[in-house]
């Protein structure tokens, strides 16, 4: 029993001495290297953000460089991912910028006065009915002003200002079923009516037989219209329907000049109407 | 044969601790399976075997740590095993309650000792308050399971401990 006790005591002293020696005397570089290899291999996450200076003491410089290279590699990979997101965002902004420069460049050549407004709200249930823009009475937007957009270098009619608020306005689109625009067909200037159908196509109605319309003809706003300045492109005839049985008029489908569903900015035309016409408009004719 | 069985148990504890630290943490703290194994071995094995296990498991914890000390855990676990050898005849350490109590007390003492060693020798504060609060509780919960597993292994494998 006492012999067993002695053996235990000797073993305890032995192990405690070894442990104390390891603690007190600076461990050799090889020990630190092994420690670092094992620790980094099995628990790499423990080293992220660890206080490295004291931990790496006595470790050979070449191994420290390997370790630091791995750490730098991880950090740079993370940074690359962040940069890729920023690059994608920058590309999108550059494209947007290019588009806006094109639009504003074209608007400088427009023969109407007005201001640009951004489309801020669309109703998914009434996509071809109305949308909102970010300019209102505070910006000088008048009621019933015409709104046009530019696409592929060409200006086309989009709608008119239907409601004006201080900070924003509601635009009724020409594709709205309650919208109608007096239009002029082709070079001869035969007048007709463009009506919205609630879809991307418009309907050209009340076209007299003498007009002899055909596919591809361009439709413009008519000088007879009080609301819209003359000469704004509305669209091109897509398909002609011969005269309906009860009436002596032909009709046609018209594809708008601009894609109404994709409009992001509109140019609101402000023109000085004679007072008597303005009063009539404001009274809601 | 006894040596190989002991090696298997040693590495099994090492692997389980490693797996726990990667996949199972509580508030960022891993239950110290190695500590529970050292305590269990100290109770059920012969003293010299227990001292050997304690020392080498301590070396493993020193190898895996990021602290500046090397040999700290080896010293603490060796001392812990020796203390248990001295007191186990006076106390019953086979019951679950006494194991839980012992685990909590020795966990706290070992963490404090490690903190003191680190502050004296390397002037670095390695442990946070969170570890002092959470790790002893986790070790205490783990202790009865580890003890029963090692007792089971000892009954089944002839040449072990």
């Amino acid at each position: 029993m006492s012999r067993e006790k002695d053996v235990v005591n000797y073993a305890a002293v032995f192990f405690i001495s070894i442990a104390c020696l390891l603690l007190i005397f600076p461990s050799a570089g090889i020990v630190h290297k092994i420690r670092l290899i094992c620790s980094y291999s099995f628990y790499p996450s423990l080293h992220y953000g660890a206080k490295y200076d004291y931990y790496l003491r006595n470790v050979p410089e070449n191994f420290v460089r390997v370790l630091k290279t791995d750490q730098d590699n991880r950090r740079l990979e993370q940074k690359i991912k962040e940069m890729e997101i920023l690059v994608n965002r920058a590309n999108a902004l550059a494209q947007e910028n290019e588009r806006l420069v094109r639009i504003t460049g074209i608007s400088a050549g427009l023969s109407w006065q007005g201001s640009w407004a951004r489309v801020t709200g669309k109703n998914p249930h009434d996509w071809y009915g109305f949308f909102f823009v970010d300019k209102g009475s505070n910006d000088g937007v008048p009621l019933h002003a015409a709104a046009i957009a530019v696409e592929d270098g060409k200006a086309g009619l989009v709608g008119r200002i239907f409601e004006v608020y201080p900070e924003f306005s509601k635009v009724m689109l020409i594709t709205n079923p309650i919208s109608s625009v007096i239009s002029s067909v082709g070079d001869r200037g035969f007048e007709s009516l463009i009506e919205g159908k609630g879809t991307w196509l418009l309907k050209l109605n009340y076209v007299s037989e003498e007009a002899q319309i055909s596919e591809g003809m361009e439709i413009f706003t008519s000088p007879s219209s009080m609301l819209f300045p003359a000469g704004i492109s509305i669209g091109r005839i897509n398909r002609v329907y011969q005269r309906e049985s009860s009436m002596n008029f032909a009709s046609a489908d018209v594809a708008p000049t601009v894609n109404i569903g994709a409009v992001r900015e509109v140019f609101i035309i402000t023109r000085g109407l004679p007072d008597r016409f303005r009063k009539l408009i404001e009274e809601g004719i | 044969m006894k040596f190989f069985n002991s090696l298997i148990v040693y590495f099994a504890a090492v692997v389980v601790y490693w797996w726990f630290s990667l996949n199972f943490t509580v508030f960022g703290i891993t239950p110290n399976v190695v500590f529970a194994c050292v305590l269990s071995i100290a109770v059920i094995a012969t003293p010299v075997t227990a001292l050997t296990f304690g020392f080498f498991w301590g070396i493993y914890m020193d190898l895996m740590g990021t602290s500046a000390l090397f040999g700290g855990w080896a010293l603490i676990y060796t001392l812990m095993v020796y203390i248990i050898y001295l007191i186990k005849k006076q106390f019953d350490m086979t019951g679950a309650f006494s194991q839980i109590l012992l685990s909590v007390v020795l966990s706290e003492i070992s963490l404090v000792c490690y903190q003191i060693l680190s502050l004296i020798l390397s002037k670095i504060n390695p442990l946070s308050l969170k570890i002092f609060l959470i790790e002893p509780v986790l070790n205490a919960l783990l202790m009865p399971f580890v003890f029963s597993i090692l007792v089971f292994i000892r009954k089944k494998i002839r040449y072990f401990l």
Side-chain angles (χ1 to χ4, degrees), chain B residues 114-142:
Chain B
Y114 192 80
Q115 182 89 339
I116 292 169
L117 274 175
S118 182
L119 285 168
I120 291 171
L121 294 173
S122 62
K123 296 183 179 52
I124 290 174
N125 186 1
L127 304 173
S128 61
L129 185 63
K130 193 167 71 167
I131 295 176
F132 281 98
L133 293 173
I134 297 173
E135 193 172 302
V137 173
L138 296 175
N139 294 346
L141 291 172
L142 200 60

Side-chain angles (χ1 to χ4, degrees), chain B residues 41-92:
Chain B
I41 294 283
V43 173
I44 62 177
T46 57
V48 175
T49 309
L51 281 168
T52 313
F53 267 106
F55 177 79
F56 284 105
W57 267 328
I59 291 288
Y60 164 73
M61 294 297 281
D62 287 321
L63 269 176
M64 289 297 123
T66 57
S67 167
L69 292 184
F70 183 75
W73 285 118
L75 175 67
I76 289 167
Y77 285 172
T78 308
L79 282 171
M80 195 166 73
V81 169
Y82 189 69
I83 289 165
I84 290 175
Y85 159 72
L86 292 175
I87 65 171
K88 75 176 176 183
K89 288 188 179 113
Q90 276 80 36
F91 299 99
D92 170 36

Side-chain angles (χ1 to χ4, degrees), chain A residues 1 4-5 7-9 11-12 15-16 18-20 22-23 27 31 34-35 38-39 42-43 46-47 54-55 57, chain B residues 17-18 21 47-48 51 55 59-60 62-72 75 78-79 82 85 89 122:
Chain A
M1 186 69 177
E4 186 201 325
K5 207 172 169 185
V7 169
V8 172
N9 288 338
F15 284 125
I16 289 168
I18 300 288
C20 288
L22 290 171
L23 271 173
S27 305
V31 172
I34 293 168
R35 191 185 181 198
C38 294
S39 173
F42 290 107
Y43 300 104
L46 285 177
H47 290 259
Y54 195 83
Y55 187 67
R57 73 192 190 289
Chain B
Y17 179 72
W18 171 70
S21 64
V48 175
L51 281 168
F55 177 79
I59 291 288
Y60 164 73
D62 287 321
L63 269 176
M64 289 297 123
T66 57
S67 167
L69 292 184
F70 183 75
L75 175 67
T78 308
L79 282 171
Y82 189 69
Y85 159 72
K89 288 188 179 113
S122 62

Side-chain angles (χ1 to χ4, degrees), chain A residues 3-160:
Chain A
R3 194 179 167 208
E4 186 201 325
K5 207 172 169 185
D6 286 340
V7 169
V8 172
N9 288 338
Y10 291 145
V13 166
F14 171 73
F15 284 125
I16 289 168
S17 307
I18 300 288
C20 288
L21 285 171
L22 290 171
L23 271 173
I24 294 166
F25 292 103
S27 305
I30 186 79
V31 172
H32 276 284
K33 204 195 248 182
I34 293 168
R35 191 185 181 198
L36 210 59
I37 290 168
C38 294
S39 173
Y40 201 79
S41 302
F42 290 107
Y43 300 104
S45 57
L46 285 177
H47 290 259
Y48 304 149
K51 289 176 190 170
Y52 248 38
D53 298 335
Y54 195 83
Y55 187 67
L56 293 178
R57 73 192 190 289
N58 298 329
V59 177
E61 184 61 30
N62 53 349
F63 189 75
V64 171
R65 274 204 296 269
V66 170
L67 203 66
K68 286 195 172 170
T69 304
D70 180 55
Q71 295 248 332
D72 287 342
N73 196 32
R74 285 173 200 270
R75 194 174 42 79
L76 289 169
E77 272 175 7
Q78 183 62 27
K79 205 158 186 176
I80 285 170
K81 281 179 192 163
E82 287 166 13
M83 289 294 126
E84 276 171 3
I85 292 168
L86 286 175
V87 162
N88 286 338
R89 200 171 156 222
N91 285 341
L93 287 171
Q95 282 173 0
E96 176 84 356
N97 192 39
E98 206 179 311
R99 191 179 61 80
L100 289 169
V101 163
R102 255 201 323 270
I103 288 170
T104 51
I106 289 163
S107 76
L110 292 173
S111 49
W112 304 290
Q113 280 187 342
S115 58
W116 284 97
R118 198 177 273 274
V119 175
T120 53
K122 282 186 180 181
N123 185 354
H125 298 294
D126 191 16
W127 197 254
Y128 290 102
F130 297 95
F131 58 52
F132 290 90
V133 294
D134 64 354
K135 290 233 172 107
S137 54
N138 289 351
D139 306 291
V141 171
L143 190 61
H144 302 304
I148 63 173
V150 176
E151 190 177 294
D152 295 330
K154 190 156 180 174
L157 186 66
V158 171
R160 65 180 169 96

Side-chain angles (χ1 to χ4, degrees), chain B residues 135-156:
Chain B
E135 193 172 302
V137 173
L138 296 175
N139 294 346
L141 291 172
L142 200 60
M143 183 65 194
F145 294 105
V146 172
F147 186 84
S148 55
I149 289 169
L150 286 170
V151 165
F152 176 79
I153 292 172
R154 191 185 177 196
K155 279 181 191 164
K156 291 291 174 187

